[in-house]
Amino acid sequence: MNFLAPLYLVLAVAAGIPLLLHLMRRNVGARVDFPAARYLQRAEQEHSRSLRLRNLMLMLLRVLLVVVLALAAARPFLPGLGVGHGPTAVAIVLDNSLSTTALADGAPVFERLRAATGALLRAATPADRLWLVSADGRVRGGTREQLLAELGRITPSEGAGDLALALRRAAAATAAANLPVRSIAVATDGQRTAWATAVRVPGRISVLVPPGEPPANRAVVDAATDPPRWTPRGTITARIEASDSVAWRILIGDRTLARGSGGMGIPVAVRAAPPERGWQAGRVELERDDFRADDVQHFALWIGAPPAVSVDAGAGTFVTTAANALAADGRIALSPGGGARIASADVLMSLPALVLPPTDPVRLGAANRSLARLGIPWRYGVLRRGPGIVRGTRLDGVGVTERYLLRREPGAESDTLATAAGEPWIVAGDGYVLMGSRLDPAATTLPLRAAFVPWLAETLALRLGGPAGESGAPVRTRPGAPVRLAGGVDAMESAAGARRAVSGTATHAPDERGVWFMLRRGRRVGALVVNAPAEESALARWSAPVLAARLGGRDRRAAGSGDEWVRSAFTAGSSRPALVPLLVTALLLLAAEAAVVRSTRSSRSIA
Amino acid sequence: MEAARASRADLLDPGELAALGHIEIVARWIVDGFLSGLHRSPRKGFSVEFADFRPYQPGDDLRYVDWKIAARSDRWVVKQYEEETNLRATLVLDVSRSMDWKGASRAAGLTKRAYASQLAAAVALLLLRQRDAVGLIRFDDAVRSSIPPRARTTQWRRLSGAIAEPAGGRASDLATALAGTARLVTRSGMVILLSDLLVDVDAALPALRGLRAAGHDVTVFHIMDPAERRFVPGGEAQYTDPESGLAVPAGADVRTAYDATVDRVIDEWRDALGAMGIAYEVVLTDQPYAVALRRAFDARVRRS
């Protein structure tokens, strides 16, 4: 037996009052003149047995009545007795991931899940503790009414969310509740990819998965451009998942670039030289189906002339060779003495430039003076020799044996593109990319790697080749995912022109899918491409029993309907509030007490 | 009907009536009211005052045949005379301490003694107006007043004065009082006892039997307060008899048993007294006097 308000049990002490009165009634001090006292005496003598029995019965009834009322005040919960459900800590995991927007019987699955969640919240009592956890792991606590209001505000997210995290948080919330019964209620479409990483949680779990098969889905699961910077030619590739042939269309801005039909896993590739210039937003579209969210995949690209590059003689053989290869492919235009320069810092005269350390350490002072003169907020420090491993995009695993320590000037704003031994190795800023090692096999294995030429092409095209300050290839991410922006970016702008301010480089991607251009002082310097995760397109589901078996232990319930789910979430606990039965018992005791009193009156009238 | 009821003092609430005047005056109002409501149907007998003729019937005493009429009209009639009694009635009034009590719930009510005194005065006046001789004995643990039965015009003044005397406030010794009555009234007559009967029953019953054996018609008015008749408990308390000091702890739980016991006590009195040929009437102190007066009047008629 559990009590919601155990302190009220002290009221049971009052049960001693009838007992005390019963024991003390013969020792009362009040004295009343009553000439017919002899009749009283005779009455007590003649009716002593019945009086004693009656008084004992009345005392017992009154003691019981006080005890029952004290018990009722303590709000007990008894197994197998009572009505409704006992106080339960319920954490509801509402799957509002993108896959729940798939239509079933003409309505999104999410609406059915939300309706069931609303029914569960309405079935709760003030004694329950409630939490509502959405697929992104956000936990909302509060009263039933507050959570109903929250429920009305929850909409399907643009991404997959993190249902494993949501489940863990739900378990943590109920575990912290000081209630005898704890229950986790999961309302989900049962998408396998969403729950693949979820682990079992302790305690009771009730899983609702609406019955029925998911709709046949056709999806664009990937769309990319190669290279990121078109000069002005490039290729758009898309991967379409469909069980049959489907019509597709590729747009840049609002202009249709190409259209066709395909699918069944065959990739789509379109080579083009569009007339647009600068950063552009594009998308690959399919015919609409019952899961519309993955019928579009966004991409971004920069279109312009190939960047002009001049390679200083001291840059080294590997750099010169790579530049010549890029020029032969039309990716760059060699322009001695003009455009972006590849040179040692000590001889560098202007920006933009890929800055290399001096060949001779004695030139270190001249190199730093040159950096200061050009406004680059970094300085070369001591020369460090010894093996080191590089971490950075395209550069993971590159070895370093000789490098200068890069020291940041106070207040400097720049990106660290790669680190060696945990220290900055390649940094970039407005019009420069600064390296800590010479591009020479004696200092680093980078020139020997296959990624060297593409890395050089990308660096020259996106960071140095365009207008000063370009921030590199488009960043591809998911809605709401954490992203790292280029230094100096102060706003993001959607393809439709909506802007939002950002501060710092660490932020989260917008929840809306699409292309978001990164702005630095009002100028587009990069792009953030936000697409639904590809795994959301896989709508294959687990049934409620299977998912419950994966998520729960022995105490698990599977429900195919909202009503069943609500019942299983609350009535899973065997204890129920015994307030009503106790009040009924109290009323019966009162009636019995009245009956005892009345029965003696009746016997009087008969006499 | 209501107007007539309102004009008859014997039908008024005793408590309200007592507040209107002295016991002597109130007794007159009661008796006047009682007599005005009585259909005058005096029993015709063979006394000294002529009342009427009636046809002779076989068995009539030939002494009362009016021979003159028989001679003149050849019709046999007998003379009827207003019956004239010479009743000697004695009121035995209990003025013990137990009589000087009323229930706490009746603030405007009368004590048993006040009620019995007023009733005794009314009965005395009623009898005196019938030209009966009326006497009085007041007693508690001893006889406090003793007035022999007389039919004189001054008797009413003596009786009302004695009735109004303060009570002695002691225990009841009914047997002694009845013995005194027997000594006081040597000829057989009517004895009316007004008492709460909270007495030594074993002593009282032989004394009553003695009175009855002496040829007296005895009527017992058992004066009871409504709170004695039906127990009205005021919570757990020691209920104490002011005469004997008997203290009985009791509460609401005993009410039913008490009421049943009182019913039984009344039945026992009625049975015991009925067996002796003694009229017994329970009179509650909130009843109009007419009830008891009617009973006394019936006893007087029965006696005559």
Side-chain angles (χ1 to χ4, degrees), chain A residues 111-456:
Chain A
E111 291 306 324
R112 297 174 67 176
L113 300 180
R114 176 151 64 181
T117 302
L120 192 150
L121 288 172
R122 280 186 287 276
T125 67
D128 296 324
R129 289 203 64 192
L130 302 167
W131 295 270
L132 182 58
V133 189
S134 48
D136 57 1
R138 186 181 162 200
V139 181
R140 303 157 179 86
T143 64
R144 181 178 64 177
E145 286 68 28
Q146 288 170 335
L147 291 188
L148 279 169
E150 282 286 336
L151 179 65
R153 287 190 281 272
I154 293 179
T155 55
S157 71
E158 295 286 337
D162 189 343
L163 287 168
L165 173 68
L167 189 63
R168 285 198 305 274
R169 288 183 173 172
T174 55
N178 187 25
L179 286 178
V181 182
R182 305 181 183 99
S183 177
I184 298 172
V186 178
T188 179
D189 61 357
Q191 190 188 26
R192 293 184 186 184
T193 54
W195 289 104
T197 59
V199 294
R200 290 181 194 280
V201 290
R204 182 168 298 125
I205 188 166
S206 304
V207 176
L208 167 67
V209 177
E213 292 298 316
N217 189 32
R218 296 177 296 211
V220 187
V221 295
D222 188 36
T225 58
D226 184 43
R229 177 187 174 112
W230 287 18
T231 53
R233 186 178 299 110
T235 304
I236 298 169
T237 57
R239 190 158 58 88
I240 296 170
E241 295 287 348
S243 57
D244 53 358
S245 182
V246 60
W248 53 263
R249 186 167 68 138
I250 297 176
L251 299 96
I252 292 181
D254 292 327
R255 184 175 67 84
T256 299
L257 182 68
R259 65 172 70 235
S261 63
M264 297 176 289
I266 302 170
V268 173
V270 173
R271 188 169 175 81
E276 290 86 353
R277 291 292 179 265
W279 282 104
Q280 301 294 324
R283 62 187 187 274
V284 179
E285 288 183 355
L286 298 182
E287 288 177 281
R288 290 193 161 195
D289 60 9
D290 282 347
F291 182 43
R292 295 170 185 172
D294 61 1
D295 295 343
V296 176
Q297 192 79 202
H298 300 273
F299 63 86
L301 72 168
W302 193 93
I303 307 172
V309 177
S310 66
V311 183
D312 191 86
T317 308
F318 287 89
V319 174
T320 304
T321 304
N324 288 335
L326 290 173
D329 194 40
R331 304 285 293 274
I332 62 172
L334 290 174
S335 172
R341 299 190 62 186
I342 304 175
S344 298
D346 54 329
V347 298
L348 188 63
M349 302 301 289
S350 64
L351 297 179
L354 171 61
V355 186
L356 304 174
T359 51
D360 190 345
V362 300
R363 299 285 296 166
L364 194 61
N368 282 337
R369 283 194 296 275
S370 180
L371 293 177
R373 178 169 47 79
L374 293 171
I376 297 173
W378 290 86
R379 301 291 181 266
Y380 286 112
V382 295
L383 179 64
R384 289 195 170 163
R385 291 191 173 88
I389 300 297
V390 172
R391 292 281 176 261
T393 307
R394 291 181 183 264
L395 303 177
D396 279 348
V398 169
V400 176
T401 52
E402 188 180 286
R403 64 185 171 93
Y404 286 92
L405 189 67
L406 297 180
R407 289 188 286 107
R408 184 199 297 261
E409 289 292 289
E413 194 178 73
S414 60
D415 301 330
T416 297
L417 303 183
T419 60
E423 295 175 331
W425 187 57
I426 305 176
V427 297
D430 199 2
Y432 67 91
V433 174
L434 180 68
M435 296 204 61
S437 299
R438 292 187 56 75
L439 292 174
D440 188 304
T444 173
T445 61
L446 175 59
L448 306 178
R449 302 285 290 263
F452 175 61
V453 175
W455 171 81
L456 185 63

Side-chain angles (χ1 to χ4, degrees), chain B residues 92-96 99 113 139-140 172 194-197 199:
Chain B
V92 182
L93 180 61
D94 184 356
V95 292
S96 64
M99 289 287 287
R113 188 169 69 82
F139 74 98
D140 42 41
S172 304
L194 300 100
S195 171
D196 58 8
L197 296 182
V199 296

Side-chain angles (χ1 to χ4, degrees), chain B residues 193-277:
Chain B
L193 171 63
L194 300 100
S195 171
D196 58 8
L197 296 182
L198 295 172
V199 296
D200 181 358
V201 180
D202 293 337
L205 285 177
L208 285 166
R209 190 176 294 115
L211 276 180
R212 190 76 185 97
H216 295 292
D217 275 342
V218 182
T219 298
V220 175
F221 287 124
H222 189 168
I223 310 295
M224 296 189 84
D225 190 276
E228 289 177 328
R229 184 69 182 86
R230 295 289 176 230
F231 187 52
V232 184
E236 290 292 333
Q238 294 277 354
Y239 290 85
T240 307
D241 180 1
E243 286 187 4
S244 64
L246 171 67
V248 181
D253 55 334
V254 82
R255 175 173 52 194
T256 309
Y258 173 88
D259 292 349
T261 298
V262 170
D263 290 340
R264 195 169 300 116
V265 166
I266 289 172
D267 288 344
E268 288 169 1
W269 277 111
R270 180 171 287 117
D271 292 346
L273 296 177
M276 297 177 206

Side-chain angles (χ1 to χ4, degrees), chain A residues 21 25-44 46-47 51 54-55 58 597 600-604 607, chain B residues 98 101 112 198-199 222 227-228 231 236-242 246 248-251 253-262 264-265 268:
Chain A
L21 288 176
R25 64 180 292 270
R26 298 301 176 204
N27 299 315
V28 287
R31 183 178 178 278
V32 175
D33 273 353
F34 192 66
R38 64 177 67 183
Y39 299 155
L40 274 175
Q41 187 181 39
R42 182 175 162 183
E44 294 221 339
E46 289 176 349
H47 299 84
L51 278 174
R54 174 181 175 277
N55 287 335
L58 283 175
V597 173
T600 45
R601 283 184 187 163
S602 302
S603 65
R604 178 202 66 194
Chain B
S98 66
W101 187 85
K112 290 185 284 183
L198 295 172
V199 296
H222 189 168
E228 289 177 328
F231 187 52
E236 290 292 333
Q238 294 277 354
Y239 290 85
T240 307
D241 180 1
L246 171 67
V248 181
D253 55 334
V254 82
R255 175 173 52 194
T256 309
Y258 173 88
D259 292 349
T261 298
V262 170
R264 195 169 300 116
V265 166
E268 288 169 1

